[in-house]
Amino acid sequence: MVSLIEVQIVQKRSISLFSATMLALSSLIGSGWLFGSSEAASVAGPAAVISWVIGAVVIGIVAFNYIELGVMLPESGGMSRYPQYSHGPLVGFIASWANWLSLVALIPIEAVAAVQYMSTWPWAWANWTNDFMKNGQIVGKGLIVVFLFMVVFTLLNFWSVSVLTRFTNLISVFKIAIPLLTIILLMSSGFYVENFGHNLAEFMPNGSSPVFEATTVSGIILSYNAFQTVINIGGEIKDPQKNIFRAITISLTISTILYIMLQVAYIGAITPTQLAVHGWSGLKFASPFADIAILLGIHWLAVLLYLDAFVSPFGTGVSFAATSGRTLAAMTLNRRIPKWLGEVDSTYGNPRFAYLANFAVGALLVLVFRDWSLLASVMATATLIAYATGPVTVMAFRKLRPNYTRPVHSKLMPVIAPLTFVIAGLAIYWAMWPTTVQVIFAILLGLPMYMYYDRKNGQISWKRQLKSGGWLLVYLAFLSAMSYAGSKGFNGQDWIKYPYDFLIIIVVSLAFYYWGLVSRMSDSPDLEAADKLNKNVRQSVRQCG
């Protein structure tokens, strides 16, 4: 075993643009397409289409911030490092811990999705799968199958990066083809335009607030989140100054179009009779698209969908087992978690101890949260908390290191960054009480370990850390209080009515953004590592030029 630092010094850039894009698509098109359309429609009705657009805008804007960071400082597990460079260890730990929790949660989420579809297999020979779930939760034998899936996800990452990329290149083609086929067949087999309503009240049967709510609680943020796979393998991508931006843009564009069309197809495929009896919130499909295909008499499509319920979560599970492992290993460079988690296999260059630790944590999560939609909501909230540091970090670097080589440099970033921070704050709020505060509490649970290792390895006084990181702690407290006191539509006490809750979050978030920006740590000891990374970028740009 060798350290991650030693590996990054000699790391071979072996992932092409095509492979990086396929890896991102393999992560993006996972269980979200199997359940997201159904969950979103039950919350927002036909207006769920808008929810997918909002989700794409949220993640697209967030990604724009990280593209500048990713091409400026390309390294494996980079999203766990950037906030520490600009704001020191406290902000770095909170952001990386939140991001890591969200990535680890994705491993059981994908396994649960596959098992949930298995539990509804309609064939007589497969009746042994019918007791995998009870009252919407994985139980008994279903849990064993979930764990087996997670074992396979982990083992496929134990060997070289080339094994992973060949696997994802193959599986991504299938993962794109099946959703496309589903869209075409559902739309051509009886598309009910009237399901979208004849007026605004029918289009938004539950009002406008559920449109925002659905982005977080229905798996929409989960579905788009995988763009960060490209950021976190940035140290292994060929020509990262160009290909990080290209891979993220291509993969997000394809997945956005696909998800929106799937939502349209789902809404149009429900018969008016079903809708009249149950309403959007009353439609309960255990395996949404497969159940609809059977109702429409397209049984061969249902078979393909049951097969894809293995393939789509499988590809995403494997990809995120890789991403979460590299993220945890990169966190050891921050010196606030056990160093052995960052040890890398000397033959294959993979952080095997990190993979095993993630498997253990993922297994614990699935024992506690056995429902896909709840896991999706928890994951989305943790992700957004991590993402909130991105816009502050990208602008802090422009103040701290204005002379860095930036292959992607937008003049609009001074506007985009605060906008991103505000949108992230709103999306955290959309997760609803008590999920918001539960996730924030889970993130803060990591602080005792942080304090232990900071006392052991720390180079910066607590007073200095709080000066640079206090804004994030207070902001999390503010969002918790807003979630409790906010409007009824987001499960709050309704002390602050909708949309005034949105207005308060927007104004206060802007204040926190600028507080965070002025709190940057100009004397951070980790900036030296960032300087070395950007020096390599400068040399690469000169060679290409």
Side-chain angles (χ1 to χ4, degrees):
M1 291 288 180
V2 296
S3 73
L4 187 67
I5 295 175
E6 292 171 315
V7 169
Q8 291 205 27
I9 291 172
V10 297
Q11 198 167 44
K12 181 180 179 182
R13 300 191 184 277
S14 58
I15 301 179
S16 66
L17 170 61
F18 177 77
S19 292
T21 303
M22 289 296 103
L23 185 60
L25 279 173
S26 183
S27 303
L28 282 160
I29 305 171
S31 60
W33 93 265
L34 296 170
F35 295 101
S37 296
S38 174
E39 295 286 341
S42 70
V43 173
V49 174
I50 299 177
S51 300
W52 285 98
V53 175
I54 293 172
V57 170
V58 169
I59 295 300
I61 291 176
V62 168
F64 193 76
N65 292 262
Y66 281 100
I67 286 171
E68 177 168 324
L69 289 169
V71 298
M72 181 177 71
L73 303 168
E75 64 176 318
S76 293
M79 292 185 70
S80 297
R81 297 282 287 157
Y82 303 144
Q84 176 143 339
Y85 291 149
S86 62
H87 285 80
L90 180 58
V91 173
F93 178 83
I94 293 172
S96 60
W97 185 263
N99 189 49
W100 170 70
L101 280 177
S102 70
L103 293 174
V104 171
L106 270 162
I107 301 172
I109 282 174
E110 300 305 316
V112 165
V115 172
Q116 185 166 329
Y117 258 71
M118 284 179 66
S119 71
T120 63
W121 280 355
W123 308 290
W125 61 266
N127 57 13
W128 56 276
T129 67
N130 298 153
D131 58 354
F132 282 3
M133 295 192 70
K134 185 176 182 180
N135 298 323
Q137 294 193 330
I138 302 289
V139 295
K141 289 185 291 185
L143 275 175
I144 296 174
V145 178
V146 166
F147 294 148
L148 287 175
F149 269 105
M150 293 171 61
V151 167
V152 175
F153 296 165
T154 302
L155 290 180
L156 274 173
N157 281 283
F158 255 55
W159 290 277
S160 69
V161 171
S162 61
V163 173
L164 173 64
T165 53
R166 283 196 295 268
F167 174 79
T168 53
N169 288 349
L170 175 66
I171 210 171
S172 295
V173 176
F174 185 82
K175 290 178 69 173
I176 296 171
I178 298 302
L180 280 174
L181 182 63
T182 302
I183 292 167
I184 293 168
L185 289 174
L186 291 187
M187 286 187 167
S188 61
S189 299
F191 189 79
Y192 301 97
V193 179
E194 59 267 34
N195 288 355
F196 290 86
H198 300 89
N199 52 54
L200 187 61
E202 292 180 359
F203 183 66
M204 294 184 179
N206 302 318
S208 59
S209 64
V211 175
F212 299 102
E213 174 192 331
T215 61
T216 303
V217 304
S218 302
I220 292 176
I221 295 295
L222 158 72
S223 300
Y224 289 129
N225 174 58
F227 83 87
Q228 67 166 289
T229 301
V230 179
I231 300 293
N232 283 321
I233 60 169
E236 297 158 73
I237 294 176
K238 296 176 182 176
D239 195 7
Q241 293 75 34
K242 295 179 181 178
N243 288 339
I244 288 177
F245 171 77
R246 291 170 178 171
I248 290 175
T249 303
I250 294 169
S251 59
L252 269 180
T253 300
I254 292 173
S255 59
T256 298
I257 294 170
L258 198 64
Y259 280 126
I260 291 173
M261 293 307 297
L262 280 165
Q263 185 66 73
V264 171
Y266 175 86
I267 292 169
I270 305 297
T271 64
T273 304
Q274 285 178 299
L275 203 54
V277 173
H278 302 287
W280 290 110
S281 60
L283 292 171
K284 302 295 181 184
F285 295 115
S287 306
F289 284 109
D291 291 346
I292 292 173
I294 291 172
L295 289 172
L296 292 174
I298 317 174
H299 294 279
W300 65 269
L301 176 62
V303 173
L304 275 180
L305 288 167
Y306 284 122
L307 176 61
D308 190 69
F310 272 101
V311 176
S312 288
F314 204 89
T316 304
V318 171
S319 296
F320 272 99
T323 302
S324 60
R326 283 163 171 75
T327 298
L328 183 59
M331 287 170 64
T332 63
L333 301 180
N334 297 343
R335 303 178 302 279
R336 299 307 186 278
I337 64 173
K339 185 179 179 180
W340 57 267
L341 287 170
E343 291 183 353
V344 175
D345 178 76
S346 57
T347 303
Y348 296 105
N350 287 322
R352 292 184 170 183
F353 288 134
Y355 291 151
L356 292 173
N358 287 344
F359 172 82
V361 174
L364 180 62
L365 283 173
V366 82
L367 286 172
V368 177
F369 304 106
R370 303 186 185 188
D371 174 73
W372 183 90
S373 59
L374 181 58
L375 274 168
S377 183
V378 168
M379 172 268 158
T381 308
T383 297
L384 290 162
I385 290 171
Y387 286 167
T389 62
V392 179
T393 297
V394 73
M395 288 306 298
F397 263 108
R398 289 198 177 188
K399 303 288 185 181
L400 291 167
R401 294 292 189 267
N403 295 323
Y404 265 9
T405 297
R406 290 173 169 83
V408 175
H409 183 280
S410 173
K411 294 180 180 179
L412 294 176
M413 190 59 78
V415 176
I416 292 173
L419 176 63
T420 305
F421 189 83
V422 168
I423 288 175
L426 285 169
I428 294 167
Y429 176 71
W430 298 339
M432 303 197 305
W433 177 272
T435 302
T436 301
V437 73
Q438 287 172 342
V439 174
I440 290 173
F441 178 71
I443 291 168
L444 296 180
L445 276 178
L447 286 179
M449 181 172 65
Y450 169 82
M451 293 176 184
Y452 170 78
Y453 281 98
D454 183 72
R455 185 175 180 180
K456 185 177 179 181
N457 303 318
Q459 300 172 289
I460 304 170
S461 69
W462 259 97
K463 182 179 179 180
R464 183 69 183 91
Q465 290 188 51
L466 287 173
K467 183 179 178 181
S468 289
W471 64 276
L472 184 55
L473 291 172
V474 180
Y475 186 57
L476 293 178
F478 162 73
L479 289 174
S480 299
M482 278 299 301
S483 183
Y484 180 76
S487 58
K488 189 176 181 180
F490 296 94
N491 218 26
Q493 297 297 308
D494 211 32
W495 296 341
I496 305 173
K497 307 292 184 181
Y498 173 80
Y500 299 108
D501 47 353
F502 280 30
L503 293 175
I504 291 174
I505 291 173
I506 290 170
V507 173
V508 176
S509 292
L510 280 173
F512 275 102
Y513 166 80
Y514 288 107
W515 180 8
L517 187 56
V518 299
S519 298
R520 59 189 178 274
M521 187 178 285
S522 59
D523 56 346
S524 171
D526 293 286
L527 277 171
E528 183 178 345
D531 293 340
K532 291 179 180 178
L533 283 169
N534 193 253
K535 182 180 179 180
N536 293 333
V537 172
R538 185 180 299 112
Q539 292 172 348
S540 297
V541 170
R542 286 174 179 172
Q543 290 173 359
C544 293

